[in-house]
């Protein structure tokens, strides 16, 4: 029997898979957790509770998926784009972009509510946000869909199209504005969203999808964006024709010319090739294997009259691939080249005459050998030419699957016609892909076209720039495209592609860059790998970042997003709706997984948590951190909803405790008033009665008697009695209104002294409220509240309101979530080898926490006791402070072999676990 006191002083290895629980020999075992939910391991060791999410808006269609996309012009000008079914919307400065507001002049107490907005210009199905209405305040701060639109009126429905019943609302008195949610129409449907790939240059976002002409989304102003098809110039092209087919332009320049082929080869026989297919006899036919032809006029073997690709047998015969011989040949027949398709509208065609190249764009289809086109660069003649090439992109052949920038070129890749090929634009000319000059000279700045020759055909799925080359991910492996010469620039004639690894990628996810690593989802979606250059092998490796946490990917990874500040975290969606987070720092050799499970539910039975459908990051408006944005599918009041939500900032030591945001889909309720306030004589002494408070404008009402006036101020002279090095504290000043004098003056009793009689600026003071409002997005839900820095009993939301047991001037309210940490089995105290499998007893555990309040601990999550923090003198009316402490818990488990320690935090406050310090007695066998 040996007593030991192991020190769990770091959790940066994150959540290990159950399969590793016997691997006490691993160097990271002592820093790992069996469960790490809604905590995130920090690079330096602690496990910090993740902050909650704030509700931003509903997506346009609550029952359809949407995709969040990052758009960063600069750290000061960053947007989140919401791509959904046939639309895109925009968010900036932590809110949606709205068009210029229009004044509201009326609102009816009817079902549905009818708003009067003169000459509003809205259309049925559009969304507006309403604010500032007097009287019918139930409409303020909400988003509605308009219906039955007339010139001056609209009816209000919710996002599901259900009418908004205003029969029980207060009567409209005055004012209010409506702003239309800024929305662009797109052609992308819901099923296309996870295949969209993006690359940004300044104000332009390039968009790739194999079924759509590549597009660009260009910003001209906050609410002035234009989505347009890219008008590619002079390429990319398929390889130069190497068959006998010629093309003849009817003119060298101009619009509406004809481009045609006159080649026709006579057929003299058709027979069974011995394998059941049709073999054509045609003297000196000139076709080669793979050529596409149209056969007409064959008598007897009429089944040959169709479009085929051929397999050359010899100079006089060829087989029709996929054919079946049925009828004896009688006579006749001709074969013509199949050059054009009805889907070639908009396709480019380049033709050479002598040493001069010109190109045109097809505008109309006549037949497989004739089209109408507009000349964009003059042809060198009007004679037949066998030196020609068709554009790579077309409706029939498809479009590129991905896009990126590299060495001053815009690269596209993964077009279905050439799925292993990458195409780079001319240098610094992103939409021009000229393979040569018009004089057939290939210069270094001409376009690059290069296939990944691997023996198999694995589509290009993503591309990322790197100092060592253009990194390319395919279904079958990862490649590096770069110059063929050391330290040379990539050019059309100086390029090579080498396979780096053979893991393959998932097509529905774009990789993210973390420092010098590119992190991607492996093909089967169960592993995350980091592609990076390794000096020792002078090549790239792609290590498995899930090797010790394989259970994390069991339900398939999806979209990735990288947050660089405050630390390096990779956020990712998962098939079951959880949000895995990877703490990753290659330099410090830190890899730690955790799982974020949002508060709330996805089902009516309230058994399964909500589903995170999309995630992205942008710099916050103050450039202090990276923000993490989500689309979350929830079940609210019996209906499926999809919300755009944003993770709140982490609480830090100098922050006001009442601003701690540790609820999900939450909102802040702030009773600040937009007028100045003058405290009267006696306000600086607690308990003084009959103190006058005078506002700079109309604020007060007779019904305000009993409400509280308050302000928060930071006392720089205050010292922490436990730690004098910590200076400064947030202090509340409060007064309860006892008499109404006028809209600008009331009398009150001082509950907490005011710091001075100085004039309080506008928005520097608050009036309390007895209920929280505008919680329509959580209708019917039970919410958790941080009420002026203190916990409040949970409340059920009804009619958008949550009644309080005590009035407050500031609150953070939303859905509760549990943060759970459970250690691995203790490995300590054994004399003869390992402590695993031996009986042990934990006597007590000390939890060292930082910036924490609340929490409970125990041997498992069913037997827990609250953490007890040190007691200090707390002024009457003030909440217990968020602080640092060693919380000692006497253990009641008794004897066991597992020896795990569990910790849970569900209060709306932060918690950072620095160390778990148990005292354990281990009993050796024998």
């Amino acid at each position: 029997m040996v007593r030991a006191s192991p020190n769990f002083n770091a959790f940066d290895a994150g959540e290990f898979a159950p399969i590793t629980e016997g691997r006490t020999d691993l160097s990271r075992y002592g820093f790992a957790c069996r469960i790490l939910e809604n905590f995130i391991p920090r690079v330096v060791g602690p496990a910090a509770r993740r902050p909650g999410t704030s509700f931003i808006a509903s997506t346009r269609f609550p029952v359809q998926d949407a995709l969040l996309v990052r758009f960063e012009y600069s750290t000061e000008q960053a947007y989140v784009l919401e791509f959904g079914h046939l639309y895109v919307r925009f968010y900036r400065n932590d809110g949606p972009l709205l068009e210029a507001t229009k004044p509201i002049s009326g609102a009816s107490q009817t079902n549905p509510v009818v708003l009067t907005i003169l000459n509003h210009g809205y259309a049925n199905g559009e969304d507006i946000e309403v604010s500032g209405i007097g009287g019918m305040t139930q409409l303020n701060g909400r988003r509605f869909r308009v219906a039955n639109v007339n010139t001056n009126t609209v009816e209000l429905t919710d996002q599901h199209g259900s009418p908004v019943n205003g029969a029980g609302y207060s009567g409209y008195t005055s004012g209010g504005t409506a702003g239309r949610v800024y929305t662009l129409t797109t052609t992308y449907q819901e099923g296309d969203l996870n295949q969209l790939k993006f690359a940004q240059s300044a104000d332009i976002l390039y968009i790739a999808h194999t079924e759509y002409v590549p597009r660009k989304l260009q910003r001209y102003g906050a609410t002035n964006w234009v989505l347009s098809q890219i008008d590619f110039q002079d390429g990319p092209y398929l390889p130069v024709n190497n068959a006998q087919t010629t093309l003849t332009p009817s003119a060298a320049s101009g619009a509406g010319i004809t481009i045609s082929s006159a080649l026709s080869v006579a057929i003299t026989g058709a027979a069974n090739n011995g394998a059941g297919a049709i073999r054509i006899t045609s003297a000196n036919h000139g076709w080669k294997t793979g050529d596409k032809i149209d056969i007409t006029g064959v008598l007897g073997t009429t089944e040959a009259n169709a479009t085929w690709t051929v397999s050359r047998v010899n100079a006089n015969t060829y087989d029709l691939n996929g054919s079946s011989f049925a009828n004896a040949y009688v006579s006749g027949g001709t074969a013509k080249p199949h050059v054009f398709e009805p889907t070639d509208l908009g396709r480019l065609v380049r033709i050479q005459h002598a040493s001069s190249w010109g190109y045109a764009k097809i505008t109309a289809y006549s037949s497989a050998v004739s089209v109408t086109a507009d000349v964009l660069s003059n042809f060198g003649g009007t004679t037949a030419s066998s030196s020609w090439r068709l554009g790579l992109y077309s409706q029939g052949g498809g479009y590129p699957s991905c896009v990126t920038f590299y060495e001053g070129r815009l690269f596209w890749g993964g077009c279905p016609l050439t799925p292993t090929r990458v195409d780079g634009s001319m240098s610094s000319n992103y939409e021009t892909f000229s393979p040569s000059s018009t004089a057939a000279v290939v210069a270094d700045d001409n376009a690059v076209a290069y296939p990944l020759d691997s023996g198999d055909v694995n589509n290009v799925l993503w591309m990322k720039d790197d100092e060592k080359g253009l990194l390319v991910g395919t279904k079958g492996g990862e490649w590096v495209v770069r110059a063929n010469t050391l330290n040379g620039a990539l050019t059309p004639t100086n390029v090579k592609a080498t396979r780096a690894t053979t893991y393959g990628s998932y097509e529905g996810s774009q990789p993210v860059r973390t420092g010098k690593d590119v992190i991607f989802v492996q093909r089967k979606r169960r592993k995350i790998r980091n592609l990076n250059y390794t000096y020792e092998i002078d090549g790239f490796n792609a290590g498995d970042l899930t090797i010790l946490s394989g259970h994390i990917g069991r339900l398939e990874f999806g979209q990735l997003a990288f947050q660089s500040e405050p630390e390096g975290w990779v956020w990712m969606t998962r098939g079951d709706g959880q949000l895995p987070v990877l703490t990753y720092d290659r330099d410090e050799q830190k890899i730690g997984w955790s799982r974020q499970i949002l508060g709330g539910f996805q089902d009516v039975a309230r058994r399964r948590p909500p589903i995170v459908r999309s995630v992205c990051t942008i710099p916050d408006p103050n450039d202090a951190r990276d923000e993490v944005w989500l689309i979350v599918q929830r079940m609210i009041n019996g209906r499926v909803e999809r919300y755009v939500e944003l993770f709140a900032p982490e609480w830090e030591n100098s922050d006001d405790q009442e601003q701690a945001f540790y609820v999900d889909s939450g909102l802040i309720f702030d009773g600040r008033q937009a007028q100045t306030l003058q405290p009267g004589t006696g306000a600086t002494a607690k308990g003084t009665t009959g103190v006058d408070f005078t506002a700079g404008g109309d604020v007060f009402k007779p019904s305000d008697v009993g409400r509280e006036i308050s302000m928060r101020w930071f006392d720089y002279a205050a010292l922490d009695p436990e730690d004098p090095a910590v200076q400064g504290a947030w202090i509340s000043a409060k007064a309860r209104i006892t008499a109404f004098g006028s809209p600008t003056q009331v009398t009150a009793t001082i509950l907490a002294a005011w710091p001075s009689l100085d004039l309080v600026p506008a928005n520097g003071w608050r009036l309390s409220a007895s209920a929280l409002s505008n919680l329509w997005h959580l209708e019917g839900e039970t919410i958790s509240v941080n009420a002026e820095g203190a916990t409040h009993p949970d409340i059920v939301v009804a009619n958008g309101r949550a009644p309080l047991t005590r009035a407050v001037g500031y609150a953070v309210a939303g859905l509760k979530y549990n943060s759970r940490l459970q250690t691995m089995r203790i490995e300590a105290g054994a004399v003869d080898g390992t402590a695993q499998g031996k009986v042990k007893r934990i006597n007590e555990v000390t939890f060292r926490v930082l910036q924490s309040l609340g929490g409970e601990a125990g041997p498992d999550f069913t037997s827990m006791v609250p953490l007890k923090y040190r007691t200090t003198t707390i002024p009457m009316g003030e909440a217990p402070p968020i602080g640092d402490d060693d919380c000692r818990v006497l253990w009641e488990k008794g004897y066991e072999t597992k020896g795990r320690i569990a910790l849970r935090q569900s209060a709306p406050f932060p918690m950072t676990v620095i160390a778990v310090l148990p005292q354990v007695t281990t009993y050796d066998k024998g």
Side-chain angles (χ1 to χ4, degrees), residues 770-772 775 785 792-798 801-806:
S770 59
L772 307 178
L775 283 162
V785 183
H792 183 283
D794 291 349
I795 325 167
V796 176
V797 178
R801 298 178 78 252
L804 299 171
T805 59
R806 63 178 186 274

Side-chain angles (χ1 to χ4, degrees), residues 420 450-460 462 468 470-482 495-505 520 523 531-533 537-542:
T420 65
Y450 203 79
L452 309 180
D453 294 325
S454 63
D456 49 24
V457 181
N458 286 306
N459 296 20
V460 172
W462 57 261
K468 294 294 184 180
L470 176 65
L471 305 182
V472 180
T474 76
K475 285 187 176 180
E478 293 66 53
W479 294 70
V480 185
V481 178
R482 54 189 163 193
V495 57
K496 69 175 181 179
T498 54
R499 192 196 296 264
T501 58
T502 58
Y503 297 109
S505 297
F520 66 95
R523 182 173 60 249
L531 187 65
N532 57 72
Y533 176 79
I537 65 172
D538 191 23
F540 282 81
N541 272 329

Side-chain angles (χ1 to χ4, degrees), residues 109-178:
Q109 290 174 293
T110 57
N111 185 15
V113 173
V114 177
L115 289 186
T116 301
I117 310 170
L118 299 181
N119 300 310
H120 52 71
Y122 302 152
N124 287 330
E126 293 182 333
D127 291 345
I128 62 173
E129 292 197 356
V130 173
S131 62
I133 286 180
M136 195 179 287
T137 56
Q138 293 91 341
L139 299 181
N140 289 332
R142 295 171 66 184
R143 177 176 292 187
F144 302 101
R145 184 153 296 161
V146 299
N148 293 325
V149 169
N150 291 311
T151 303
N152 299 318
T153 62
V154 298
E155 292 182 359
L156 299 185
T157 70
D158 62 19
Q159 302 301 105
H160 294 269
S162 301
V164 175
N165 187 354
Y169 291 178
S170 307
Y172 175 85
T173 57
S174 63
T177 59

Side-chain angles (χ1 to χ4, degrees), residues 738-749:
T738 56
F740 171 81
S742 72
T744 61
Q745 185 270 326
V746 292
T747 302
T749 297

Side-chain angles (χ1 to χ4, degrees), residues 216-227:
K216 59 182 178 181
L217 180 61
Q218 193 157 4
R219 182 190 71 148
Y220 295 96
T223 55
N224 184 10
W225 298 67
V226 175
L227 180 66

Side-chain angles (χ1 to χ4, degrees), residues 231-237 348 350 357-359 376-377 389 409-410 421 423-427 429-449 491-493:
D231 186 16
F232 288 106
Q233 301 296 306
D234 203 14
Y237 293 105
L348 299 179
R350 203 176 204 242
W357 283 95
Y359 75 97
L376 301 178
S377 178
R389 57 200 308 186
R409 302 175 187 266
L410 181 62
R421 182 173 131 181
D423 286 273
S425 69
M426 294 188 67
S427 292
N429 195 350
Y430 298 147
E431 296 173 20
T432 300
F433 286 77
S434 302
S436 70
S437 68
T438 56
V441 176
V442 178
D444 286 351
D445 66 343
N446 279 118
V448 175
T491 71
T493 57

Side-chain angles (χ1 to χ4, degrees), residues 876-887:
M876 183 68 68
E878 293 292 326
I882 294 173
D884 312 336
D885 207 345
D886 282 357
C887 301

